[in-house]
Amino acid sequence: MGRKPGRLEKRIAGAIASAASTHYLRKPDLRELLEVKFPTLDSVARAAMNELWFRAGRETGWRLTSVNLEITNHCNLYCTICPVNTTMRRSKGFMEPALFRRIIDENADFDFVLTFQWGEPLLHPEVFDLVAYAAGKGVRPMLTSNGTRLDPERRARLLDCGLERITFSVDGDRETHERIRGYSYDRLHADILALRGERDRAGSPLKIDVSMVVDETTGEALDRYFADWKGIADRVQAIPKFTPRERTTACRELWRGTAVVLWDGRVSVCCADSEGAAIVGDATVTPLQEIWNGPEMRTFRRAHVEGRFPRLCAFCGEYDDPRVSKRFS
């Protein structure tokens, strides 16, 4: 269960995250991400066991510990770097609340749930009720948003629904953001400031992050992005864009402990699978724990260990920028 750690436990878990990111992964900028995902010693231990299973090249993972639930793949923006409203061919829809609740009920020991995969989750008509349901079951809810639906009513509901952390997508500075997203940078900035002010006045524990995708079109704005948002967001993150590149090593994502459930219940092997091309099960029929170590997932892991990368994985890479660590290598 995603319980809140005590102060000492959080400090110890944070020290482990710092050591792991710096000395084991050799990616110091991932420290904050590890702290967010693994704030308790129990969660650290589960992550370590999944890593051991990956290093051992096993066909099974040790334990499923979290889930990305795509509550919708509808979106109200047409971002040039995102497939949702540009190249995505699979059908659009909204996750049935009953499926969301069943997954949470069956996995109340999960460390966290990310109510996002592709699309804009604040378009789901029951998003606040779904987040509140997960929180009520002790599963830490997080959400990623494009920030276009931050009117006063929704801001108030974000503060009241039990959400632990919200991450807003920001693509660099004003010029790059508006070119990529077609949405006002100044309005987004003002709305996030308003949410932060309301949070602080209410004494809400909600954390507010921003995240930037780095590629050849945004890299020049990376330093300005960090400067602009430092002191405003609780965490300022930059991630490399998925880029076609031949894979030569096994991807630890298959062992990391996270399941990806698309809006219709199909379960994919990875968050990079925007088209649902690598489906390993159906959460409307089979519990996630069974799918995660089921025959399809074992086949995927065995192929990676043997260097026979499936089509989705064979040319899955990330943009090179020395200022930003890759996540899937």
Side-chain angles (χ1 to χ4, degrees):
M1 179 179 293
R3 63 179 177 82
K4 292 184 178 180
R7 182 176 300 178
L8 177 60
E9 182 179 18
K10 189 172 182 179
R11 288 179 62 184
I12 295 173
I16 294 172
S18 179
S21 60
T22 301
H23 302 295
Y24 177 66
L25 297 175
R26 300 187 184 280
K27 300 175 180 180
D29 57 319
L30 295 185
R31 175 185 59 83
E32 287 185 305
L33 178 62
L34 296 182
E35 289 178 342
V36 168
K37 288 189 172 183
F38 313 115
T40 67
L41 294 181
D42 287 343
S43 63
V44 168
R46 289 190 287 269
M49 292 300 292
N50 278 329
E51 177 69 9
L52 285 174
W53 259 236
F54 162 66
R55 289 295 184 181
R58 299 187 59 154
E59 293 182 6
T60 57
W62 186 72
R63 186 172 177 181
L64 184 63
T65 60
S66 62
V67 63
N68 293 7
L69 295 181
E70 180 187 72
I71 61 174
T72 184
N73 62 340
H74 283 287
C75 189
N76 56 336
L77 294 183
Y78 291 77
C79 304
T80 60
I81 60 173
C82 177
V84 171
N85 282 331
T86 55
T87 61
M88 184 176 283
R89 298 183 302 277
R90 65 183 171 96
S91 61
K92 303 285 181 65
F94 296 92
M95 180 173 284
E96 290 290 338
L99 173 61
F100 182 101
R101 291 192 293 266
R102 183 162 65 79
I103 290 172
I104 296 300
D105 288 344
E106 291 175 349
N107 300 281
D109 60 342
F110 272 173
D111 291 325
F112 64 89
V113 54
L114 176 63
T115 54
F116 165 81
Q117 186 50 54
W118 300 94
E120 171 50 49
L122 293 183
L123 293 176
H124 195 293
E126 298 186 48
V127 57
F128 301 110
D129 294 333
L130 298 179
V131 168
Y133 189 83
K137 293 290 183 175
V139 180
R140 298 186 294 134
M142 304 180 191
L143 185 150
T144 298
S145 171
N146 61 27
T148 60
R149 294 171 67 82
L150 289 180
D151 56 83
E153 180 181 354
R154 290 190 180 90
R155 294 200 303 264
R157 297 198 69 181
L158 284 170
L159 296 176
D160 292 338
C161 66
L163 187 65
E164 177 174 299
R165 185 173 294 268
I166 186 166
T167 301
F168 294 107
S169 299
V170 181
D171 287 308
D173 58 13
R174 178 182 292 101
E175 191 276 327
T176 55
H177 182 86
E178 294 184 355
R179 171 165 45 83
I180 289 169
R181 294 185 171 262
Y183 185 77
S184 169
Y185 179 93
D186 290 339
R187 179 176 176 183
L188 175 66
H189 191 272
D191 285 342
I192 293 176
L193 279 176
L195 177 64
R196 176 184 165 170
E198 291 160 4
R199 176 200 67 178
D200 293 347
R201 288 191 292 274
S204 168
L206 176 68
K207 297 296 184 181
I208 300 172
D209 300 345
V210 293
S211 181
M212 170 184 172
V213 175
V214 180
D215 68 0
E216 65 279 0
T217 68
T218 61
E220 65 180 17
L222 181 60
D223 293 336
R224 291 192 298 275
Y225 159 78
F226 276 113
D228 287 348
W229 290 97
K230 183 179 181 180
I232 295 176
D234 295 299
R235 186 169 68 99
V236 183
Q237 173 181 261
I239 58 176
K241 182 183 177 182
F242 289 119
T243 303
R245 182 164 297 152
E246 185 175 4
R247 174 168 289 281
T248 58
T249 60
C251 179
R252 61 166 40 90
E253 191 66 17
L254 297 171
W255 288 264
R256 200 185 300 270
T258 295
V260 176
V261 184
L262 304 182
W263 70 267
D264 56 5
R266 293 181 300 150
V267 181
S268 175
V269 296
C270 179
C271 63
D273 184 16
S274 61
E275 287 294 345
I279 299 301
V280 293
D282 186 343
T284 66
V285 177
T286 308
L288 285 184
Q289 297 284 357
E290 293 182 22
I291 294 173
W292 198 64
N293 274 327
E296 291 85 358
M297 278 296 291
R298 293 200 301 270
T299 296
F300 258 89
R301 293 189 185 106
R302 183 167 60 249
H304 271 246
V305 170
E306 296 174 355
R308 300 179 293 100
F309 302 112
R311 183 175 180 181
L312 174 71
C313 311
F315 291 93
C316 177
E318 296 173 272
Y319 180 73
D320 283 319
D321 189 306
R323 299 167 295 178
V324 182
S325 290
K326 295 179 180 179
R327 299 161 293 162
F328 301 99
S329 61

